[in-house]
């Protein structure tokens, strides 16, 4: 069992409707593909991995490092998956603020439909919140609680707390497959900035305190927390070269923009898909098919669809829509046994990793970002501040009679 933490600067504001709708469509297609290829349990495992979760938020067009990824991604997935939960077998309960308090009622309603042990699921939900809000007193007050459960009874929890004092958030990830006891190092991951000395009643060093509490609450002692795996999200808003594995990003760009990299079969199956959409699809492919080690630089995935605040560049709405169209077509065809399109999408991540082995980046990072920004208007670029405008044409200065 492992823990991880990273800085998540608190960001306020809402996701614009034009992006929220697209996040639900693409997020739903990604999750549906994972279910089809790897099963429902794999969806829950990935949601309990903070690096993968952050990469998913980036590929969906959210700000690459902010706390807003948690709220927006879980909201988008709930909107996409719950109407088809009886078909997909994945249910998402809870959410932010008042929605988190509806989790017990939602779980009991699901139990009524599926035969799952409703009271047990409610108890697990409440215990997860209690542990992170009370047993683990690290200065963060929970404000979001999402409980994801499959019709087979597996579950995951994604919840987040904030610390107004330091302007940071911490995200906690739970996975039923790794929870043996709610008071014995239960988390799959904890995602947030190290706050120094905290009260953690799930830690071995809390034994004297817990022994004193045993008379009151009969809580079993815990074992030493395993070593922390860190991922630090910096406070600066722009994406910089040091935030990205340039070799990995360069390989993605090569697959997308140098057609000779693609084998003939994949090229035929991607016919009609432009280089810029191919770039997005390659990163989407990796979110679906990449192994855990591929998500240590989640900022790289913001090169699929940019960010709503314009970092690293405005969201290319036209590219986003084409990516959604290709993914939906692949999902729909797979339902009737035509898996060629899904296989072609899978091969994009395979090709990228093959290219990466001997790849030497030949472009400067800032030049890549500048090109994306320069061409943004061509792709329907948009941010929360408005639509990108085409550059004004050069003025032809006509000589006067007196020149």
């Amino acid at each position: 069992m492992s823990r991880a933490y990273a800085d998540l600067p608190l960001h306020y504001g809402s996701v614009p409707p034009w992006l929220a709708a697209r996040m639900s469509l693409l997020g739903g297609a990604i999750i549906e593909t994972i279910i089809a290829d790897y099963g429902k349990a794999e969806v829950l495992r990935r949601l309990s991995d903070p690096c993968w979760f952050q990469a998913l938020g980036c590929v969906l067009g959210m700000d690459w490092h902010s706390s807003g990824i948690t709220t927006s991604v879980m909201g988008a997935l709930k909107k996409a998956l719950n109407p088809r939960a009886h078909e997909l077998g994945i249910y998402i309960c809870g959410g932010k603020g008042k929605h988190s308090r509806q989790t017990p009622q939602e779980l009991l309603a699901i139990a009524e439909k599926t035969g799952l042990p409703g009271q047990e699921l409610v108890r697990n939900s409440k215990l997860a919140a209690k542990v992170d809000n009370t047993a683990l007193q690290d200065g963060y007050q929970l404000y979001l609680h999402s409980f994801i459960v499959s019709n087979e009874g597996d579950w995951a929890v994604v919840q987040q707390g904030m610390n107004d004092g330091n302007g940071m958030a911490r995200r906690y990830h739970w996975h039923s497959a790794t929870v043996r006891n709610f008071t014995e190092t239960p988390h799959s991951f904890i995602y947030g900035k190290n706050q120094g000395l905290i009260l953690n009643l799930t830690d071995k060093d809390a034994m004297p305190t817990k022994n004193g509490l045993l008379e009151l609450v009969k809580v079993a002692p815990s074992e030493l927390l395993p070593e922390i795996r860190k991922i630090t999200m910096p406070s600066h808003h722009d994406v910089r070269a040091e935030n990205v594995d340039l070799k990995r990003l360069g390989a993605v760009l090569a697959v997308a923009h140098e057609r000779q990299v693609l084998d003939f079969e994949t090229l035929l199956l991607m016919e009609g898909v432009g280089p810029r959409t191919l770039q997005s699809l390659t990163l989407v492919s990796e979110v679906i098919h990449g192994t855990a080690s591929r998500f240590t630089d989640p900022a790289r995935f913001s090169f699929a669809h940019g960010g709503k605040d314009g970092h690293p560049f405005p969201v290319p709405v036209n590219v986003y829509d084409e990516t959604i169209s290709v993914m939906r077509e692949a999902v729909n065809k797979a339902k009737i046994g035509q898996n060629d399109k899904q296989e072609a999408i899978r091969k994009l991540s395979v090709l990228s990793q093959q290219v990466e082995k001997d790849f030497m980046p030949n472009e400067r990072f800032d030049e890549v970002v500048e090109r994306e920004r320069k061409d943004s208007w061509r792709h329907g670029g948009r941010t929360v501040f408005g639509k990108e405008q085409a550059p004004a044409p050069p003025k032809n200065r006509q000589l006067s009679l007196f020149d």
Side-chain angles (χ1 to χ4, degrees), residues 8 22 24 40 63 72 79 124 136 166 244 305 313 393 400:
L8 284 169
R22 289 174 171 86
S24 287
K40 291 168 284 190
D63 301 320
S72 58
K79 182 178 179 181
N124 292 339
L136 183 62
N166 63 7
V244 176
H305 299 120
F313 47 83
S400 72

Side-chain angles (χ1 to χ4, degrees), residues 75-148:
L77 294 184
K78 186 174 184 178
K79 182 178 179 181
L81 302 181
N82 279 14
R84 302 176 56 216
H86 64 285
E87 172 192 347
L88 299 175
I90 295 282
Y91 301 81
I92 298 180
C93 303
K96 182 180 178 181
K98 65 179 182 180
H99 298 289
S100 66
R101 296 187 289 274
Q102 296 171 0
T103 306
Q105 291 76 20
E106 292 176 334
L107 285 172
L108 292 175
I110 291 168
E112 187 70 24
K113 296 176 184 176
T114 61
L116 291 173
Q119 293 297 337
E120 181 181 333
L121 292 174
V122 170
R123 179 177 181 272
N124 292 339
S125 168
K126 290 182 176 180
L127 280 171
K130 282 290 186 182
V131 166
D132 287 339
N133 220 32
T134 305
L136 183 62
Q137 293 185 21
D138 52 4
Y140 293 85
Q141 187 70 30
L142 289 187
Y143 67 92
L144 177 145
H145 174 84
S146 291
F147 193 98
I148 310 97

Side-chain angles (χ1 to χ4, degrees), residues 153-225:
D154 299 321
W155 54 266
V157 172
V158 177
Q159 53 192 8
Q160 186 158 290
M162 71 165 67
N163 185 326
D164 286 324
N166 63 7
M168 300 297 295
R170 173 165 289 174
R171 189 167 69 229
Y172 307 86
H173 294 255
W174 297 65
H175 186 201
S176 60
T178 65
V179 175
R180 298 292 176 266
N181 187 310
F182 276 88
T183 62
E184 295 180 7
T185 60
H187 301 90
S188 57
F189 295 98
I190 297 178
Y191 208 58
K193 186 176 181 180
N194 191 341
Q195 297 297 301
L197 186 63
I198 63 173
L199 172 61
N200 181 2
L201 293 181
T202 68
D203 195 287
K204 178 182 177 181
D205 292 338
M207 189 69 72
T209 303
K210 292 178 73 172
N211 283 338
L213 293 173
L214 277 174
E215 296 179 5
L216 299 175
V217 295
K218 306 297 183 183
V219 180
S222 66
E223 299 177 356
L224 182 65
L225 286 172

